[in-house]
Amino acid sequence: QLCSAATKQWYQRRVRAELLENCNVLLNTEYEPYLKLLSIFAAGTYKNFAENVGSLPELSEVELTKLRILTILRMSSSERVLKYSDMLAETGLSSSRDLEGIIIQSIQHNVLDCKIDEANEQVFVNQISGYNVTAEQQDFLLESLEKWSESCRTITESLQNDVNSATCKLKANAKEAAEFQKAVEAAKASVKKEKPHREASSAKSRKRLA
């Protein structure tokens, strides 16, 4: 199920990316503003929209909220601790309450897993949903995945070494236990074998004394 969901998300993002690439034919046409807006939603931030608002189509409150959620999501990809001040600047919001509302919606839509620290006005990011990346971000993403893969390999090797060490100790302990049990059985057999001789010797001694 996880593989199926991941594949579906990858396919959806790939379709959007290809759609965006093929839309370059709209440059220098009356539809170019819509192409720019699509590009912002695909890989930009609310700040990019605000800087070009005069030349872009108007957005509804719902669309603005979605763009702000995407903005926080993209900020979370490079930082695990986000300050309110930085998020307010990037989302164009003026109050912490409005910002917290956007963050809560992000959590409710399952695109952001985080802990809100209202007292210190910061957010601790645990996990984020997948999103589109630009060509410039692909190298960074690839490098991050390679580091993650190497880290997994190192951890796996360390765990395997621990397992091998524990297995060796277990075998050694089992061997010692078996040898000890063998010695105990041998001692019992020896005692049992010598018991009649000791009893006979003891009887002879009693006769002489009598």
Side-chain angles (χ1 to χ4, degrees):
Q1 289 181 343
L2 285 174
C3 290
S4 176
T7 302
K8 183 178 180 181
Q9 289 183 7
W10 176 85
Y11 177 74
Q12 290 174 340
R13 290 195 294 272
R14 182 59 187 167
V15 168
R16 290 196 295 268
E18 290 181 354
L19 176 62
L20 188 59
E21 291 173 0
N22 294 329
C23 281
N24 286 333
V25 294
L26 300 178
L27 291 173
N28 301 317
T29 70
E30 59 181 310
Y31 300 107
E32 184 174 354
Y34 295 95
L35 175 60
K36 290 182 178 179
L37 185 60
L38 178 61
S39 299
I40 290 174
F41 269 91
T45 64
Y46 177 87
K47 198 171 185 179
N48 300 138
F49 170 77
E51 291 172 349
N52 299 278
V53 66
S55 60
L56 295 173
E58 185 177 353
L59 295 180
S60 65
E61 284 301 319
V62 173
E63 292 166 337
L64 288 172
T65 296
K66 181 175 182 179
L67 185 54
R68 288 182 169 114
I69 290 175
L70 289 171
T71 297
I72 293 175
L73 183 64
R74 285 167 184 136
M75 292 178 69
S76 302
S77 67
S78 58
E79 298 290 339
R80 290 306 178 189
V81 180
L82 301 177
K83 296 180 179 179
Y84 274 31
S85 56
D86 295 335
M87 288 188 287
L88 287 170
E90 290 295 327
T91 58
L93 296 171
S94 57
S95 72
S96 298
R97 185 173 181 179
D98 291 339
L99 176 62
E100 288 168 358
I102 295 294
I103 296 171
I104 291 172
Q105 287 190 58
S106 302
I107 297 172
Q108 292 173 339
H109 285 87
N110 296 320
V111 297
L112 180 63
D113 178 11
C114 66
K115 178 182 177 182
I116 302 175
D117 182 1
E118 296 181 25
N120 296 304
E121 295 194 333
Q122 56 187 2
V123 171
F124 296 95
V125 179
N126 297 321
Q127 188 175 352
I128 62 174
S129 175
Y131 63 95
N132 295 330
V133 295
T134 63
E136 293 76 12
Q137 294 172 318
Q138 289 179 6
D139 290 339
F140 170 77
L141 180 61
L142 179 59
E143 182 181 353
S144 298
L145 289 173
E146 288 175 344
K147 288 181 179 179
W148 176 77
S149 177
E150 179 63 23
S151 177
C152 289
R153 187 187 65 79
T154 301
I155 293 173
T156 301
E157 289 180 353
S158 178
L159 289 173
Q160 188 60 52
N161 290 336
D162 290 341
V163 169
N164 292 339
S165 177
T167 301
C168 290
K169 289 181 180 179
L170 184 63
K171 289 181 178 179
N173 291 338
K175 183 179 180 181
E176 289 179 3
E179 290 176 350
F180 176 76
Q181 186 63 32
K182 185 177 180 181
V184 169
E185 295 298 330
K188 287 181 179 180
S190 177
V191 169
K192 187 176 181 180
K193 183 177 180 181
E194 293 178 0
K195 185 177 180 180
H197 297 289
R198 286 199 300 268
E199 290 177 349
S201 298
S202 177
K204 289 180 180 180
S205 298
R206 284 196 296 272
K207 286 181 180 180
R208 285 197 296 268
L209 289 174

